[in-house]
């Protein structure tokens, strides 16, 4: 088939130009969506009387046959046909004859490709909501099983205050809930129909854009044809959301890498999610966590790549925008791979409760509670802070911890200390003293787990509704 646009030209396209400008090697990913959009478009052309009913049925039958060929791997894509749209149209004409050329009536590849990406990305966004909810389920289960497990809490990677391990897991449940909310919110901007904008100005044919939107499950139609064909904000928003998700995963990965080391030994990752060394037989490497942490950079790169492509493009469509797809596809694959592995990795993780408790007992993370103890005895906080600082220094010099000191030693620093100080310093007492909403006290964390479970039920209901809608 000659180029659709070849009438204006007196020479064939240079072979190197064809290879350089063709997008079929990557936009074939959009084949299902391209056919889905074409079926809705040709149905609308028939409804509006733009095409006769017989032509519409022939084109629809032909599209379904081409779809079957693609699914069976029987259709050979050709670089000479440039992109997925022209490859499918050529296959359609081969199947049904010249009538297949009528499919493109009232549309342009500019609004066609925009439609394909809206259709493709809205499916992925819904899938990611479902995958994040699975990860939250795994984190919630770890939290439920570790309501009595105390771990050092850190700031500056220095032991700060004892917290429940469940509280630590719930922090990530909250992070991923924000990710879910961002994805759900972005769905409304993805689920807008661009088809009918034509190349940039609309079309002279009496099309019904709202009918097409209804067929394809779109909630709205682009108000402006220029915006419809040039908008890639919805992809940028997804890439930004994906970058934040990967950042959250990477932070948890970093903790898994640290916690599974001999120096920490707080957790043990399941063998199924680790690898060994080719030379050191004793090694068990947290490679999945390390690789997810590393792949975060490529997701960031895809976001910045598209931002750079779009930053100085005039309206409306420009060939530069062909660069919007590979980064999107790569980010989706990268995020899918990470989330598919993460939920089972968290679910099978073993928590070394005894080692965590040992770490809490052998540090000064309960020092703040002594300061609070003195404040409750009437000492101003700044003075109490100085007293405890000197007490900790003494412990370090004597190679002791706060629970090791005798009452007479405490009296060197303040006569306000009484025998009840030893009860105040117990890790369970320290944890449960933070009995404020959002705090690490056991009853507060239990409440947080219960609330998160209800939110998760709502997320799963949203996923079920929109998963079916986006198909």
């Amino acid at each position: 088939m000659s180029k659709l646009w070849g009438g204006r030209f007196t020479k064939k396209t240079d072979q190197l130009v064809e290879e350089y400008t063709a997008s079929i090697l990557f936009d074939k990913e959009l084949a299902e969506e391209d056919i889905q959009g074409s079926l809705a478009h040709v149905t609308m052309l028939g409804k509006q009387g733009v095409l006769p009913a017989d032509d519409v049925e022939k084109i629809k039958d032909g599209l379904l046959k081409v779809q079957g060929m693609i699914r069976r791997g029987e259709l050979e894509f050709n670089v000479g046909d440039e992109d997925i749209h022209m490859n499918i149209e050529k296959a359609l004409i081969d199947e049904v004859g010249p009538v297949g050329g009528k499919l493109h009536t009232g549309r342009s590849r500019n609004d066609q490709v925009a439609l394909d990406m809206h259709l493709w990305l809205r499916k992925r966004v819904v899938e990611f909501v479902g995958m994040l909810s699975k990860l939250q389920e795994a984190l919630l289960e770890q939290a439920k099983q570790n309501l009595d497990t105390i771990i050092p809490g850190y700031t500056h990677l220095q032991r700060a205050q004892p917290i429940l391990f469940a509280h630590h897991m719930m922090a990530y449940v909250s992070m991923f809930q924000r990710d879910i909310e961002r994805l759900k919110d972005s769905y409304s901007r993805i689920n807008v129909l661009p088809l009918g904008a034509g190349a940039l100005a609309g079309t002279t044919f009496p099309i019904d854009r709202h009918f097409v939107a209804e067929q394809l499950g779109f909630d709205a139609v682009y108000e402006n044809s220029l915006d419809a064909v040039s908008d890639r904000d919805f992809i940028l928003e997804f890439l930004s959301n994906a970058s934040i998700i990967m950042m959250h995963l990477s932070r948890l990965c970093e903790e898994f890498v640290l916690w599974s080391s001999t120096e920490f030994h707080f957790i043990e990752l399941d063998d199924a999610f680790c690898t060994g060394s080719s030379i050191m037989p004793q090694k068990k490497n947290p490679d999945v966590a390390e690789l997810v942490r590393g792949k975060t950079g490529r997701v960031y790169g895809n976001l910045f790549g598209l931002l750079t492509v779009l930053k100085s493009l005039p309206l409306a469509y420009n060939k530069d925008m062909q660069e919007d797809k590979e980064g999107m596809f790569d980010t989706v694959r990268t995020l899918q791979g990470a989330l598919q592995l993460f939920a089972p990795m968290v679910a099978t993780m073993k928590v070394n409760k005894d080692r965590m408790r040992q770490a809490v007992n052998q540090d000064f993370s309960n020092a703040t509670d002594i300061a609070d103890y003195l404040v409750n005895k009437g000492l101003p906080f700044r003075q109490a802070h100085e007293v405890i600082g000197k007490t900790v220094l003494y412990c370090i010099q004597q190679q002791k911890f706060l629970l090791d000191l005798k009452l007479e030693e405490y009296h060197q620093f303040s006569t306000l200390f009484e025998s009840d100080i030893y009860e105040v310093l117990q890790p369970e007492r320290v944890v449960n003293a933070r009995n404020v909403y959002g705090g690490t006290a056991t009853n507060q964390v239990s409440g947080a787990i219960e609330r998160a479970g209800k939110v998760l039920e709502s997320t799963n209901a949203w996923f079920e509704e929109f998963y079916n809608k986006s198909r």
Side-chain angles (χ1 to χ4, degrees), residues 52-120:
D54 288 348
D55 288 351
V56 171
E57 290 308 310
K58 287 178 183 177
I59 291 171
K60 290 171 72 172
D61 289 344
L63 284 169
L64 293 175
K65 289 178 181 178
V66 172
Q67 183 181 55
M69 293 168 61
I70 293 172
R71 290 176 175 177
R72 294 189 299 272
E74 297 173 358
L75 184 61
E76 184 176 344
F77 296 114
N78 182 6
V79 170
D81 293 320
E82 302 179 42
D83 53 36
I84 188 60
H85 324 297
M86 296 308 302
N87 271 265
I88 288 177
E89 185 169 328
K90 180 182 183 300
L92 175 65
I93 291 172
D94 289 344
E95 188 68 36
V96 302
V99 69
K102 295 183 179 183
L103 171 62
H104 208 58
T105 305
R107 72 177 183 184
S108 162
R109 281 187 294 177
N110 294 356
D111 60 348
Q112 186 180 357
V113 68
L115 170 64
D116 291 358
M117 288 189 293
H118 278 270
L119 289 169
W120 189 87

Side-chain angles (χ1 to χ4, degrees), residues 367 371 383-396 413:
Q383 292 181 34
H385 190 284
E386 182 179 0
V387 167
I388 303 311
K390 291 179 178 179
T391 306
V392 169
L393 177 60
Y394 173 82
C395 287
I396 294 171
F413 306 100

Side-chain angles (χ1 to χ4, degrees), residues 48 68 77 123 139 153 240 324 329 365 368-369 418 433 451 459:
Q48 295 297 101
F77 296 114
K123 295 177 187 176
L139 290 165
S240 176
D324 59 1
F329 295 153
S365 59
T368 303
D369 289 71
E418 299 178 20
R451 291 190 298 273
T459 297

Side-chain angles (χ1 to χ4, degrees), residues 153-167:
Y154 293 82
T155 63
H156 307 280
L157 205 57
Q158 304 294 316
R159 293 182 188 177
Q161 293 177 341
I163 60 171
L164 293 180
F165 184 71
H167 192 53

Side-chain angles (χ1 to χ4, degrees), residues 56 79 159 205 229 232 299 336 362 391 402:
V56 171
V79 170
R159 293 182 188 177
F205 293 96
V229 297
R232 295 297 183 268
V299 174
Q336 282 176 337
Q362 295 180 348
T391 306
L402 291 169

Side-chain angles (χ1 to χ4, degrees), residues 106-314:
R107 72 177 183 184
S108 162
R109 281 187 294 177
N110 294 356
D111 60 348
Q112 186 180 357
V113 68
L115 170 64
D116 291 358
M117 288 189 293
H118 278 270
L119 289 169
W120 189 87
L121 192 55
R122 75 176 182 182
K123 295 177 187 176
R124 308 289 93 79
V125 162
V126 174
E127 289 168 358
F128 284 133
V129 168
M131 296 173 81
L132 283 167
S133 72
K134 295 296 182 186
L135 176 51
Q136 285 184 312
E137 287 177 8
L139 290 165
L140 278 171
E141 188 58 34
Q142 284 287 0
K144 291 175 184 177
Q145 293 175 10
N146 287 282
L147 269 170
D148 60 347
T149 303
I150 302 177
I151 188 174
Y154 293 82
T155 63
H156 307 280
L157 205 57
Q158 304 294 316
R159 293 182 188 177
Q161 293 177 341
I163 60 171
L164 293 180
F165 184 71
H167 192 53
H168 201 113
M169 293 294 95
M170 292 304 296
Y172 284 99
V173 172
S174 294
M175 289 186 204
F176 294 125
Q177 185 58 39
R178 292 194 295 273
D179 294 328
I180 286 172
E181 294 302 323
R182 276 186 285 267
L183 289 173
K184 288 166 61 178
D185 183 62
S186 72
Y187 186 92
S188 64
R189 284 173 291 283
I190 297 171
N191 205 37
V192 182
L193 177 79
L195 198 66
L200 76 162
T203 177
T204 59
F205 293 96
I207 62 172
D208 186 344
R209 298 182 68 201
H210 290 89
F211 174 78
V212 176
E214 184 178 351
Q215 286 188 94
L216 294 173
F218 284 102
D219 295 324
V221 174
Y222 272 91
E223 290 288 333
N224 184 284
S225 60
L226 289 164
D227 186 41
V229 297
S230 63
D231 173 35
R232 295 297 183 268
D233 291 0
F234 67 101
I235 301 178
L236 285 173
E237 188 172 2
F238 166 72
L239 295 176
S240 176
N241 291 338
S243 295
I244 296 173
I245 296 169
M246 287 296 291
M247 178 269 290
H248 288 155
L249 291 175
S250 185
R251 294 183 73 176
L252 186 52
C253 285
E254 175 72 5
E255 300 205 285
F256 283 177
V257 170
L258 290 171
W259 290 348
S260 62
S261 68
T262 303
E263 285 70 21
F264 279 79
H265 195 45
F266 286 172
I267 64 168
E268 182 178 357
L269 297 175
D270 192 86
D271 285 0
F273 301 95
C274 297
T275 64
S277 166
S278 63
I279 189 172
M280 296 168 284
Q282 83 281 5
K283 294 291 293 301
K284 180 178 177 180
N285 301 325
D287 277 11
V288 170
E290 291 174 347
L291 195 55
V292 170
R293 184 178 61 183
K295 285 181 178 290
T296 301
R298 71 187 295 156
V299 174
Y300 290 0
N302 290 332
L303 169 61
F304 280 96
L306 185 56
L307 281 168
T308 305
V309 167
L310 296 173
K311 72 177 180 63
S312 50
L313 292 186

